[in-house]
Amino acid sequence: MRFLYIIAVYLAAPLISLVMLWRGLRDRAYWEHFAERFGFGQRLGEPPIWIHAVSVGEVQAAAPLVRALRERYPAVPIIVTTLTPTGAQRARALFEDTVAVRFIPFDLPGAVRRFFARVRPRIAVIFETELWPNLYHECGRRRVPLVLASARVSPRSASRYDKLGALFRDALSGATLVAAQADGDAERFRALGAAAQRVHVTGNVKFDFDLPPALAERGRRLRQQYAGGRPVWIAGSTHESEEEIVLDAHGLVRASFAQALLILVPRHPPRFTAVAELLRRRNVSFQRRSSSAPDAAPDAAPDAAPEVLLVDTLGELVEFYAAADLAFVGGSLLPIGGHNLLEPAALGLPILTGPYNANSADVARLLIDGGAVRIVHDAAELAGNVAALLADPAERMRIGATGRQCVRSHRGALQKLLELIEPLLQG
């Protein structure tokens, strides 16, 4: 089975490379360090702790572990790999020069061997569910301890993996430890072939994040800068077609709150310009975060305040959450899977989200059942909830307190994960 998989990945690699090179026409970040996709890159000296986080959400989830390991093992280097340019950008912003950041190689035997020869990791920690048979096989061949951290697998994914039979059973049998998010995840990993005695339930490390210091003060300054005393709501991590729904909702909100400001934060940097063009086509007055001058609608009064603040910068979403009265979290009105609900919850914001939250289904269900998150399906429902919450500060405070307490009560996964990892490092 693994032989057939190797043939398949060799056939797929040229196509995937062409897709990434084509994406580079719009976002040059796809062209940067492209050789790393084939295992090339700088050779490291001291064998590092290797942490893999596929994209932005997983990088954010891995951050508490990276910081804890840096504190406990300051002499041991750390390398963080990711699959996406936005994940790499986020890792560099979070960790600056304290860790090495590079792209994970394609799961080609040669690329994986080159990566291991250059990095020589002393341990591999893979976040959430990244099952790469050749990479896992190489960990076993080189006797590199492999830990699946904050691991999760949905029933649907488990069924798909199970159909591939021995391929994923062999991959998972080589895992030194599986630190599963929940009991259901643990059972599915065991059923897929992970050794029962090596599977532990540790919880979700995403709950153990730390908000940046002085975040509340930074949020107050941003609010004063862009909104003054106006009511403010934010739509974070939005996707194509979702912005139109959000803008329809904002138009309805302004029928009740004429001074309301929408902070609009698209998920992907290459779309910043497209969203600005969308705002112009709709004659919506707006200001770009990267510009000091507002872009006024043709019929707007000369001194009219912008209706929308378009955040076209990286790494500031959580600070703008801290500047808002309530939050809508995007990637959820369309079947994309949703994005991070925990940051606005930890800030005590009432949260609105669409019905599609498969990327963090357990977190979403927990917050929804606890009353910290409300589901909306369209512009009318979104606008109705925004307007109702803007009109009721006491309700906003009650819902926000519920979300903050929910986050606090589920912390502790990081310590459990460290207790599993540290003996492997010391050994």
Side-chain angles (χ1 to χ4, degrees):
M1 178 64 78
R2 184 165 166 267
F3 176 73
L4 295 176
Y5 171 77
I6 291 171
I7 293 175
V9 293
Y10 270 117
L11 292 173
L15 178 60
I16 295 170
S17 299
L18 286 173
V19 169
M20 288 190 169
L21 292 171
W22 178 79
R23 287 182 176 179
L25 295 173
R26 292 187 300 170
D27 182 0
R28 295 299 176 90
Y30 279 94
W31 292 353
E32 295 175 0
H33 307 287
F34 195 75
E36 292 175 1
R37 309 279 188 182
F38 293 91
F40 295 101
Q42 183 180 1
R43 292 181 182 272
L44 301 185
E46 182 75 13
I49 298 168
W50 168 33
I51 296 175
H52 175 64
V54 63
S55 191
V56 174
E58 291 76 18
V59 169
Q60 202 74 41
L65 177 63
V66 172
R67 295 190 180 104
L69 290 171
R70 276 189 358 227
E71 290 175 3
R72 298 185 183 207
Y73 302 94
V76 180
I78 297 175
I79 182 170
V80 174
T81 60
T82 184
L83 182 65
T84 66
T86 52
Q89 290 165 357
R90 187 60 183 145
R92 293 186 183 103
L94 279 173
F95 311 129
E96 298 178 337
D97 296 329
T98 61
V99 306
V101 178
R102 69 173 63 179
F103 291 116
I104 195 169
F106 295 141
D107 201 36
L108 301 165
V112 169
R113 286 196 296 269
R114 281 190 292 272
F115 171 81
F116 273 82
R118 284 161 170 77
V119 173
R120 297 182 303 121
R122 65 178 66 198
I123 186 173
V125 182
I126 312 294
F127 259 80
E128 298 206 0
T129 309
E130 286 289 293
L131 299 181
W132 299 110
N134 288 325
L135 188 147
Y136 284 23
H137 176 79
E138 194 67 12
C139 281
R141 193 176 76 84
R142 294 178 182 255
R143 298 186 179 181
V144 175
L146 172 62
V147 178
L148 305 189
S150 206
R152 62 186 176 94
V153 59
S154 68
R156 182 177 178 182
S157 295
S159 176
R160 186 165 62 248
Y161 293 144
D162 190 51
K163 290 176 182 177
L164 294 171
L167 178 65
F168 286 103
R169 280 197 298 274
D170 289 347
L172 281 172
S173 67
T176 305
L177 288 171
V178 177
Q181 289 189 14
D183 291 331
D185 296 305
E187 287 302 318
R188 287 186 284 274
F189 275 110
R190 293 185 187 105
L192 287 172
Q197 70 274 17
R198 297 178 183 174
V199 179
H200 306 263
V201 178
T202 57
N204 192 338
V205 178
K206 285 184 177 179
F207 285 95
D208 289 280
F209 67 95
D210 293 318
L211 292 172
L215 179 60
E217 178 56 31
R218 175 66 174 153
R220 281 192 289 270
R221 289 201 302 268
L222 287 171
R223 183 174 184 129
Q224 184 59 39
Q225 178 181 352
Y226 290 106
R230 300 166 65 188
V232 180
W233 69 291
I234 182 171
S237 298
T238 57
H239 287 251
E240 186 175 1
S241 299
E242 218 167 27
E243 286 95 4
E244 295 194 5
I245 299 171
V246 169
L247 291 173
D248 287 342
H250 190 51
L252 296 171
V253 169
R254 284 176 63 87
S256 301
F257 295 88
Q259 295 301 309
L261 173 67
L262 166 64
I263 300 174
L264 183 58
V265 191
R267 174 72 172 181
H268 297 117
R271 299 193 55 253
F272 291 159
T273 299
V275 176
E277 289 300 321
L278 171 65
L279 291 164
R280 292 190 187 100
R281 288 198 306 271
R282 295 177 64 119
N283 293 324
V284 174
S285 61
F286 70 98
Q287 180 171 347
R288 297 179 76 142
R289 167 65 169 156
S290 61
S291 172
S292 59
D295 192 319
D299 57 352
D303 59 346
E307 301 170 51
V308 174
L309 171 64
L310 173 60
V311 179
D312 57 351
T313 52
L314 289 173
E316 294 192 298
L317 175 58
V318 69
E319 296 181 350
F320 278 101
Y321 277 143
D325 294 310
L326 61 107
F328 165 76
V329 178
S332 58
L333 286 170
L334 304 171
I336 292 166
H339 295 299
N340 189 352
L341 299 170
L342 291 174
E343 286 180 338
L347 284 164
L349 289 183
I351 303 169
L352 305 172
T353 187
Y356 301 102
N357 285 282
N359 289 343
S360 295
D362 291 342
V363 170
R365 178 50 51 196
L366 186 70
L367 292 171
I368 292 166
D369 290 346
V373 172
R374 295 180 182 179
I375 298 292
V376 297
H377 296 84
D378 53 33
E381 285 189 9
L382 178 57
N385 278 275
V386 170
L389 289 166
L390 289 178
D392 194 342
E395 180 68 356
R396 292 203 307 271
M397 185 175 296
R398 185 193 68 78
I399 295 172
T402 298
R404 187 183 287 117
Q405 178 56 34
C406 188
V407 173
R408 287 174 179 167
S409 65
H410 286 82
R411 293 182 186 272
L414 175 61
Q415 183 57 40
K416 294 177 184 177
L417 180 59
L418 284 168
E419 289 172 0
L420 294 174
I421 289 174
E422 288 194 308
L424 300 175
L425 284 171
Q426 292 163 3

